[in-house]
Amino acid sequence: MSHPPTAPRAALYLRLSRDDEKHGESESIANQRRLLTGYAAAHGYTVAAEYADDGWSGTRFDRPQFQKMLREIGEKRIDLILVKDLSRLGRD
C-alpha cells in the first residue's frame, strides 16, 4: 500500500539588519513572514520552522538563528529554505 506524498517541509528564514530598517515596511520581519507564508501555501509546502535574526548584518554568519537553521538542516528536520531574497541569507 502506498502512502500519499507528504508536503515538503519548508523553513522560513527572516533577517532584518539595522540598515534595512531605513527602507521601511517592505523589508520588515512581518512583511517577509507574510510573503513567505503565502508562497509556501501557494506551492504546497508545510512551514515546519521559522528562523529570524532581527538586527543582524548579512555579512556575519554567526547569527544565532542562522546557525540553528544549519544544525536543523543537518538533522534533516527541514527540506528547503524560503527567503524573501538572497540578501536575507547573506551579503558579500
Side-chain angles (χ1 to χ4, degrees):
M1 174 164 84
S2 66
H3 297 283
T6 58
R9 297 166 299 167
L12 309 183
Y13 183 73
L14 318 166
R15 185 184 62 78
L16 184 69
S17 72
R18 296 293 171 228
D19 287 340
D20 292 328
E21 291 174 353
K22 298 173 188 171
H23 299 290
E25 174 64 18
S26 68
E27 297 296 327
S28 74
I29 293 289
N31 188 57
Q32 291 176 54
R33 182 181 294 113
R34 186 171 37 257
L35 289 170
L36 296 176
T37 301
Y39 183 90
H43 290 84
Y45 302 141
T46 297
V47 176
E50 178 183 300
Y51 308 92
D53 284 312
D54 196 357
W56 286 81
S57 169
T59 61
R60 297 183 60 181
F61 291 94
D62 61 342
R63 302 181 303 259
Q65 291 292 293
F66 184 81
Q67 290 300 313
K68 181 179 179 182
M69 180 179 69
L70 292 180
R71 283 191 303 276
E72 291 186 0
I73 290 168
E75 295 167 359
K76 301 192 185 307
R77 293 182 184 200
I78 57 177
D79 300 312
L80 58 103
I81 302 164
L82 299 176
V83 293
K84 179 180 177 274
D85 58 61
L86 289 178
S87 72
R88 301 301 94 200
L89 276 181
R91 296 180 187 255
D92 296 342

